[in-house]
Amino acid sequence: MSTPPKTQAERSRASEARSIKAGAVRMPGGLLSTEAARALADLVASGYAASKTAVIERALLEAKGKHLER
């Protein structure tokens, strides 16, 4: 007997579980200030990164690199 194919939701949860096991962190929801929200939207629109999450990830890694270079 073969197992039925997984739904998109099941594949997504499995992918998320693998990411968390590898060290990823789920961030809680919250509000950005108007200025930060506009900056985030502008960075996505300018191609800095492909998504809001990708902008935040890239900015964090760049800031870490600059901060730790001191």
Side-chain angles (χ1 to χ4, degrees):
M1 190 189 316
S2 66
T3 48
K6 291 185 177 183
T7 66
Q8 176 60 39
E10 290 170 327
R11 290 192 304 273
S12 180
R13 284 191 300 273
S15 174
E16 183 176 279
R18 287 190 301 275
S19 293
I20 289 172
K21 187 174 182 181
V25 176
R26 175 170 283 290
M27 298 299 294
L31 293 176
L32 290 175
S33 68
T34 301
E35 182 181 8
R38 286 183 184 142
L40 184 58
D42 290 346
L43 287 166
V44 172
S46 74
Y48 177 80
S51 68
K52 292 176 183 178
T53 301
V55 167
I56 294 167
E57 288 180 358
R58 180 175 171 188
L60 285 170
L61 293 172
E62 288 178 358
K64 177 187 173 193
K66 289 178 183 176
H67 178 73
L68 296 179
E69 288 174 357
R70 295 181 196 181

